[in-house]
Amino acid sequence: MSFSQNYIVFINGYRGPKLDHEITDNQIRNTDKTGYWYALDDTIAKRFAHATPLYVDAHHPLRTSVHKTLGRAVRSYLLSRFCWVRKTSRWVLNKNQNPAGFQERVANGYIAGQNLLKIIHPDSLVSIHFVCHSMGYAYMLGMIDALQGKVVFGKALILSPEGADVQGRDWQQFKEVWQYGCDADHPKAPPIFRQDGIAPQHPVAGIENAPGGRIYIPATYPQHRLGFIKSHHLAFYQWFEWIEPTDFGYFCE
């Protein structure tokens, strides 16, 4: 199938406590002006040589996250530093859903999807791929809602999604759907102080029915590069590039 327009949309997440008061403007951009992606976007974009990269900012205040407040996030971080157990702990990681905050991000993602439609020629056959991280997951769902039926969905790469179990979509609309990140519930998972505490990982809702699956941080990845923040932050996502063409979870256009 030949597409007259082909895009790969990068959707960033939370950009830090100093910017907590800010909220996305839902605009479509041609570059990552925030430096959020640490050149990981360049690595991914090279595999989508025929797709034009676009960027949207899904930053929302912490009140929309599972933490709800900075104080709760700091408390969780401090407790995790001393938690060596290898099982899910409700009193350490903030894993309870925040449906209202999640839906706020979905709603803004819908607006961004509408804005993307404005740059698409109405008679074009358009392909859209998504790469989202953290808070960007909920935002991506809103964009899907706005775009479905009007474009062809390609690949969806979901990196360390926040609130992944709150909502999903019909993943059969996509050619491939991959979720990357920690696996806190596996018997051989690293202890809690090595796990993603920024967005404690759950399976994306419906991922079991998707043409793809979940990819976890390799057990051989250096332990000093894991932790409450490091296991989530893109600056420590080098393991993502360890996935070889013959491995489960490898993707290309």
Side-chain angles (χ1 to χ4, degrees):
M1 182 181 295
S2 178
F3 296 101
S4 53
Q5 290 181 278
N6 189 7
Y7 298 104
I8 180 166
V9 182
F10 291 90
I11 311 171
N12 65 254
Y14 187 69
R15 292 191 284 111
K18 291 183 178 179
L19 303 173
D20 190 69
H21 63 284
E22 293 188 5
I23 194 165
T24 175
D25 60 7
N26 301 315
Q27 295 303 305
I28 312 298
R29 293 182 170 85
N30 295 317
T31 59
D32 173 25
K33 294 183 177 181
T34 67
Y36 183 94
W37 290 95
Y38 288 88
L40 186 63
D41 54 332
D42 296 332
T43 300
I44 295 173
K46 287 179 181 178
R47 300 193 197 173
F48 292 82
H50 299 97
T52 300
L54 298 175
Y55 296 84
V56 287
D57 179 17
H59 172 88
H60 282 70
L62 269 177
R63 60 173 174 76
T64 69
S65 74
V66 294
H67 300 290
K68 297 184 179 178
T69 67
L70 180 59
R72 280 170 48 84
V74 171
R75 175 185 179 275
S76 180
Y77 169 76
L78 293 175
L79 289 175
S80 76
R81 301 299 297 160
F82 303 98
C83 192
W84 288 70
V85 298
R86 295 179 179 269
K87 61 182 180 179
T88 299
S89 178
R90 295 180 180 177
W91 58 270
V92 176
L93 300 181
N94 294 324
K95 300 183 73 173
N96 291 334
Q97 295 181 352
N98 181 358
F102 190 94
Q103 187 57 39
E104 181 177 336
R105 284 178 273 140
V106 172
N108 275 312
Y110 188 88
I111 296 172
Q114 291 179 313
N115 288 334
L116 179 54
L117 286 173
K118 294 176 182 178
I119 69 174
I120 292 175
H121 192 281
D123 297 324
S124 297
L125 183 59
V126 180
S127 173
I128 302 288
H129 309 281
F130 289 106
V131 184
C132 67
H133 178 248
S134 196
M135 280 190 177
Y137 170 67
Y139 200 87
M140 181 186 74
L141 299 187
M143 294 191 73
I144 291 171
D145 293 342
L147 295 168
Q148 63 186 3
K150 303 177 179 69
V151 303
V152 176
F153 292 127
K155 312 290 177 70
L157 312 179
I158 305 170
L159 283 57
S160 301
E162 196 276 345
D165 59 334
V166 178
Q167 294 180 28
R169 289 299 183 268
D170 177 10
W171 301 119
Q172 293 296 323
Q173 300 177 89
F174 288 81
K175 293 180 180 178
E176 293 177 14
V177 180
W178 299 104
Q179 177 183 352
Y180 301 89
C182 284
D183 182 15
D185 299 324
H186 194 279
K188 295 184 179 180
I192 285 177
F193 81 99
R194 297 290 193 196
Q195 293 175 17
D196 181 348
I198 299 295
Q201 292 299 286
H202 295 278
V204 162
I207 191 72
E208 67 278 4
N209 299 316
R214 290 187 72 183
I215 311 300
Y216 306 113
I217 299 175
T220 54
Y221 195 61
Q223 294 294 294
H224 71 274
R225 300 189 69 84
L226 300 176
F228 188 97
I229 296 173
K230 291 180 179 180
S231 294
H232 182 78
H233 204 286
L234 293 182
F236 299 91
Y237 236 82
Q238 288 82 7
W239 66 269
F240 184 75
E241 300 178 30
W242 289 13
I243 304 170
E244 299 291 341
T246 56
D247 293 338
F248 184 73
Y250 185 86
F251 61 87
C252 60
E253 191 171 5

